[in-house]
Each structure stands twice: as C-alpha cells, then as structure tokens.
C-alpha cells in the first residue's frame, strides 16, 4: 500500500503522495496507547505533528505513536474462527463465581471484590463494609 | 465463490448489523456510493471553513476570535479525517488524495450548498454555527450507525466536536438576540438569508434511486425528509422563542400528520449552484483552495524528497 509518491503528470509536473500512518495515543502513562485513526504524511516527523493537530486539539495526552500502515499486521475480519469460543469460559471470569456471595452468607460474611480492596487501599471512606467491620463481622 | 454469492453474503452481513471495513470485499456499487458521499462530506468540511474564516480577523472580541479560529481548525481537521476514509475507498479505483483535492478545485465533486453562500455580517457567523452546524449535526448523527466502520468511527469524533460548534453558535446568536435593536435586526436578516439554503441542505423531498440504494446498503437509515422534519422540530420553536420570524409565511405544523408543512426552496437555483459552482461565493472560495493547493505543492514535494534522501 505504500505509495512511491512521484509520478509524471502532463509531462513535467511531479505529483506527491504521502504515506499512511496509523496513530496511537496514550492519554496518561497509566494508560495503553490506543488506536485513534490514521494520517497521511511525507515522513514520520510530519506524521507525529499531523496526528497531534488532528486528534489532540482538545484532549490531553502524554505520548503518540505513529506506525506505517504497511507494518501493521492484523487478523482477518471475515474469519470468525479466529476468535472462536468453543467452550464456556465462565470459569475464567469473575461472573463465573457469583455463588460465592450466597456461600459466604452461611458464614455471615460477604464475597470480597477487587473494587473493595482498591477502595480501602485508597482510604476512601468505606460504606457498608466499614460499618460491618466494626460491628458484627468480627 | 461467484459474484452473486459474494453479494448475498455481503448483504447478510449488513442484515446482521455487521460493520464493513476498508479491507473487506464490497460490491462496487457500495464502494462508489460511499465514496461519493464521504468525498462530498470531506470537501464540504474544508469549504465550510471558508465562510467562517472570513470572520477570524473581524471577530468582535479576542474570545470570539479564538473560538472561531478553533472552529475553522476543526473543520479542516474533519476534512482530513474524512479524506483518509475516502482515500482508502478510492485506492482500488486508482484515485489518491491529490485526485480527491483536484476533483474539488476542478469542480468534479460537489460541496454543500450552504458553503457557496456569503457571510456578510457577524450574525451570519453565528447563524452558521447555530443553524448550519445544527443541520449538519442532525445529518451526521443520523449516519453514526452507518454500515461502513471507518466512516462510523470518524463520525463519532466529528460529532463530539460539532457539539462544541453548536454551543459556540448558540452563544453568539444569544448575545445578539439579547442585544441592541441593531444587533437584533442583523440577526433577523441573517436568519432570512440562511433559511432557504438550510431547507435545500437536506436535499430533495422524494427518495432518489441513489438515496434508496444507500438505505438498502445501510449506509444511511433515514430519508432526507425525516432529517429535515427533525430539524424543524428542534429549531423552529427555538428560533421563534427569540422573537425571530422565519421567512416562510406558509410554514405550519400539521398536527394531524405530525409534520411541518413548508415552502419548498428553489430546487433548480440551488441545484445549479451546487452542480456548476455558481453560488455567490463558489468561485472565490474554490480559487482560494486552488491557490493553497498549488502554491504549496513545492513544499509537499520537498518534504517527500527530503525523506527519500534520508536512510530510513
């Protein structure tokens, strides 16, 4: 797909075609780079500038990647087998263990979730759990 | 797989609500309809910057100047995003970005009628943001669930920015509507100028064969008239609430049918403006676009050549 970029027109005029670069933007250093679209540019440097002007006129970011489109290797869209899910994969997911809540009830406790741990680590005032920890849970 | 089978399979994908990607097989007709639509959309964004850029040096305050500059920049940015989508569709037809721009400056692609018109007063700048962008948002929001993935993704970004344009336009006209007698008169005159072009903007009332094919292919899902009626529903009460008069004595809401009855615009006049670039500002603005494209050709060439010299 890479355009050679130069061809003759009307005998003397030289035409210019830029290369396509895919653009990936990283919003904060805690985020991954996310594909936002593409630009055409004559060089990687110009692609970075064009990407900033096209995709970051408002949003904040800390980093941009541009990748020549030819260097992107992708799975086909028209081959659903690539992403086949032959089996039920509930066992890999949080939602596959929803019975824990019911089981814990027998012991007058509740299931623990990642969100609770993060919240408590961040010192956010705890809601129900706080009340319970100081009360009958002990 | 023969062509008919491929076509059937393609239509089944559309029926299932799947999005089509640039690298997927697609019927030639689908490609050409999309290209025509997106090419026109892209160059309309670019030409849409012109009526407003005329107001950048003349904006009444620094804040207004910054805001309208941002808007002009957005329109050019949208043009670039859309040209990317058009380019990928055009590539198998042997067309490039240069060709798509050449089509504009040679008059081989149409752009929206509203951008052929003059913007003689500051109220025009406001009304463009308020009503022209308002109409454009209705058009674009209706395309958000288009069957072509790359277009849908770009439209999402464009619509988000258009919502700023809408607020920006409203802010300008609200200031004028609450201003002096002179400002109110200026606003009314701008509405008078823009009403008919706005009605034309949504296109013919009847569903043309090309429009029907676009609906069949789920490129678009709503008819011109459905979108125009949406526009009426949203904007007529607001225009009237400001004490402005809509320059159509026959405009009324048919409660029974639940739709607005309006005087049709001069289809022939506006059709010719768009087809032959014969509007009051068409040639001047295309001339500016041509100037920019041709006078900067050496820069584009130099950039490409300078890279060829570097070890990559």
């Amino acid at each position: 797909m890479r355009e050679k970029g130069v061809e003759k027109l009307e005998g003397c005029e030289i035409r210019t075609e830029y290369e396509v670069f895919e653009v990936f933007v990283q919003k904060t250093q805690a985020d991954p780079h996310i594909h936002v679209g593409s630009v055409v540019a004559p060089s990687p440097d110009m692609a970075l500038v064009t990407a900033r002007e096209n995709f970051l006129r408002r949003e904040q970011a800390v980093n941009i990647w541009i990748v020549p489109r030819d260097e992107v290797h992708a799975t086909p869209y028209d081959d659903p087998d690539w992403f086949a899910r032959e089996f039920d994969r509930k066992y890999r997911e949080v939602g596959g263990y929803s019975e824990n809540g019911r089981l814990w009830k027998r012991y007058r406790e509740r299931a623990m979730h990642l969100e609770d741990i993060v919240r408590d680590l961040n010192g956010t005032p705890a809601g129900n759990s706080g009340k319970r920890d100081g009360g009958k849970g002990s | 797989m023969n062509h008919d089978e491929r076509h059937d399979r393609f239509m089944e994908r559309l029926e299932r609500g799947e999005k089509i990607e640039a690298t997927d097989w697609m019927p030639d007709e689908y490609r050409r309809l999309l290209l025509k639509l997106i090419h026109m959309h892209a160059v309309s964004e670019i030409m849409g910057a012109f009526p407003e850029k005329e107001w950048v040096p003349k904006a009444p305050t620094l804040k207004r100047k910054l805001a309208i500059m941002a808007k002009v920049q957005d329109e050019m940015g949208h043009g670039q995003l859309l040209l990317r989508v058009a380019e990928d569709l055009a590539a198998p037809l042997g067309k490039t970005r240069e060709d798509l721009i050449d089509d504009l400056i040679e008059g081989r692609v149409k752009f929206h009628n509203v951008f052929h018109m003059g913007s003689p007063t500051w109220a025009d700048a406001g009304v463009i943001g308020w009503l022209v962008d308002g109409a454009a948002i209705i058009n674009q929001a209706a395309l958000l669930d288009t069957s072509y993935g790359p277009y849908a993704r770009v439209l999402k970004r464009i619509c988000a920015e258009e919502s700023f344009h809408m607020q920006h336009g409203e802010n300008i006209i609200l200031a004028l509507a609450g201003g002096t007698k002179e400002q109110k008169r200026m606003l009314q005159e701008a509405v008078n100028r823009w009403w008919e072009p706005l009605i034309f903007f949504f296109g013919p009332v009847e569903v043309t064969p090309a429009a029907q094919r676009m609906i069949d292919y789920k490129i678009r899902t709503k008819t011109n008239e459905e979108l125009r009626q949406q526009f009426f529903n949203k904007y007529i009460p607001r225009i009237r609430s400001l004490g402005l008069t809509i320059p159509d004595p026959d405009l009324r809401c048919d409660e029974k049918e639940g739709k607005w009855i309006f005087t049709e615009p001069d289809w022939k006049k506006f059709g010719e403006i768009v087809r032959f670039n014969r509007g009051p500002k068409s040639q001047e603005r295309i001339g500016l676009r041509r100037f920019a494209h041709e006078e900067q050709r050496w820069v584009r060439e130099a950039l490409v050549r300078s890279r060829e010299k570097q070890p990559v």
Side-chain angles (χ1 to χ4, degrees):
Chain A
M1 230 175 281
R2 192 174 294 197
E3 298 285 345
K4 250 284 152 266
V6 184
E7 69 180 83
K8 295 274 185 209
L9 179 78
E10 288 164 10
C12 58
E13 219 169 343
I14 292 173
R15 307 190 63 178
T16 52
E17 290 299 344
Y18 291 173
E19 187 181 350
V20 178
F21 293 90
E22 297 295 337
V23 180
F24 300 77
V25 168
Q26 187 187 29
K27 289 194 171 171
T28 77
Q29 281 183 268
D31 294 311
H33 286 71
I34 292 175
H35 181 247
V36 293
S38 59
V39 295
V40 288
S43 66
D45 284 350
M46 284 299 291
L48 286 169
V49 173
T50 311
R52 183 187 63 195
E53 297 308 313
N54 269 348
F55 296 104
L56 295 173
R57 285 193 300 275
R58 290 182 179 76
E59 288 160 43
Q60 280 289 321
V62 294
N63 200 252
I64 303 177
W65 287 347
I66 48 100
V67 179
R69 172 176 277 186
D70 294 351
E71 306 298 334
V72 175
H73 300 266
T75 56
Y77 275 108
D78 55 6
D79 180 9
D81 289 348
W82 243 96
F83 298 99
R85 282 278 183 273
E86 295 88 348
F87 306 109
D88 181 359
R89 294 210 184 179
K90 275 270 170 57
Y91 63 89
R92 290 176 186 261
E93 292 160 18
V94 172
Y97 299 90
S98 57
E99 64 172 358
N100 286 7
R102 182 173 50 79
L103 295 173
W104 273 118
K105 249 185 207 159
R106 278 193 219 155
Y107 304 97
R108 303 172 147 240
E109 264 298 350
R110 346 174 290 156
M112 197 163 28
H113 295 288
L114 180 64
E115 292 80 4
D116 303 330
I117 296 171
V118 172
R119 190 191 54 217
D120 292 349
L121 285 172
N122 289 337
T124 321
N128 288 335
S129 64
K131 223 189 305 172
R132 197 202 44 197
D133 287 349
K136 63 179 178 176
S138 52
Chain B
M1 207 178 343
N2 68 31
H3 184 270
D4 284 349
E5 280 169 10
R6 275 185 142 178
H7 195 275
D8 290 348
R9 191 163 293 182
F10 181 83
M11 295 309 287
E12 283 162 21
R13 290 188 63 193
L14 294 184
E15 284 309 315
R16 285 196 298 271
E18 288 179 25
K19 299 279 184 218
I20 307 304
E21 294 296 332
T23 47
D24 292 348
W25 182 87
M26 63 184 83
D28 203 44
E29 186 188 19
Y30 181 80
R31 181 184 300 282
R32 285 176 194 277
L33 284 168
L34 265 178
L35 179 58
K36 194 176 168 202
L37 174 74
I38 300 171
H39 191 187
M40 182 186 175
H41 188 175
V43 298
S44 293
E45 294 280 356
I46 291 170
M47 297 314 288
F50 284 85
E52 289 185 298
K53 84 149 189 77
E54 291 163 17
W55 280 98
V56 172
K58 301 184 285 186
T61 66
L62 181 59
K63 190 183 161 208
R64 294 289 191 216
K65 191 194 283 281
L66 288 169
I68 202 160
M69 266 168 53
K71 219 198 129 182
V72 167
Q73 221 184 359
D74 284 346
E75 308 293 9
M76 299 309 276
H78 297 169
Q80 295 216 24
L81 297 182
L82 289 160
L83 280 170
R84 278 294 313 116
V85 179
E87 254 161 28
D88 288 344
L89 281 167
L93 306 173
K95 286 185 105 171
T96 64
R97 165 88 57 122
E98 288 276 321
D99 297 321
L100 297 178
I101 295 293
D102 284 346
D103 283 345
L104 170 63
I105 58 188
E106 303 297 336
R108 286 189 297 262
V109 60
K110 294 191 270 192
F111 57 96
H112 279 305
N113 70 307
V114 282
F115 306 126
H116 293 260
M117 314 308 286
S119 54
T121 71
W122 175 244
D124 291 81
V127 169
I128 290 171
W130 181 35
L131 298 180
V132 175
D133 279 297
I137 288 171
I138 289 175
N139 251 342
Q140 293 174 127
L143 284 164
L144 279 170
D145 54 2
T146 182
S147 59
Y148 190 55
Y151 193 32
R153 291 192 288 272
V154 160
L155 281 164
K156 219 194 242 174
R157 182 171 288 272
I158 292 177
C159 283
E161 290 181 351
E162 292 283 354
S163 65
F164 147 73
H165 298 176
M166 204 162 71
Q167 299 303 324
H168 167 249
E170 282 183 16
N171 197 249
I172 295 175
I173 62 101
L174 284 168
L176 294 175
T180 62
K181 238 178 162 176
E182 177 63 16
Q183 285 174 312
K184 287 178 189 164
R185 191 177 55 81
M186 185 165 78
L187 180 57
Q188 178 65 60
E189 285 172 2
V191 170
N192 294 350
R193 268 192 291 280
W194 286 96
W195 186 254
E196 199 190 3
L198 276 165
I199 307 300
F200 180 91
F201 174 82
F202 289 97
V205 177
E206 73 276 9
V207 178
T208 62
Q212 185 55 51
R213 291 307 288 155
M214 287 210 270
I215 290 170
D216 297 342
Y217 279 128
K218 298 191 189 295
I219 292 171
R220 51 186 285 194
T221 52
K222 298 258 192 315
T223 66
N224 293 344
E225 193 51 31
E226 284 173 307
L227 298 177
R228 186 167 21 236
Q229 291 290 331
Q230 273 280 347
F231 176 78
F232 288 151
N233 285 335
K234 291 211 157 40
Y235 285 93
I236 290 173
R238 280 182 176 77
I239 296 172
R240 288 181 170 160
S241 76
L242 296 174
L244 294 164
T245 312
I246 295 171
D248 177 359
D250 296 329
L251 183 70
R252 65 190 166 84
C253 190
D254 186 330
E255 301 283 350
K256 228 174 36 222
E257 291 213 27
K259 60 179 256 191
W260 292 88
I261 312 294
F262 60 100
T263 306
E264 295 207 13
D266 187 340
W267 295 109
K268 189 165 172 288
K269 180 182 85 180
F270 284 106
E272 286 180 357
I273 284 177
V274 173
R275 207 164 328 121
F276 306 115
N277 288 323
R278 223 181 260 162
K281 289 281 179 181
S282 318
Q283 289 307 322
E284 181 187 320
R285 290 179 187 152
I286 292 172
L288 281 167
R289 183 59 255 181
R290 183 184 300 119
F291 179 81
H293 189 63
E294 282 166 8
E295 294 301 309
Q296 285 155 26
R297 184 183 296 277
W298 69 271
V299 179
R300 298 196 296 278
E301 287 174 11
L303 285 166
V304 169
R305 280 192 207 161
S306 80
R307 189 182 179 198
E308 282 166 359
K309 293 217 172 76
Q310 291 164 16
V312 181

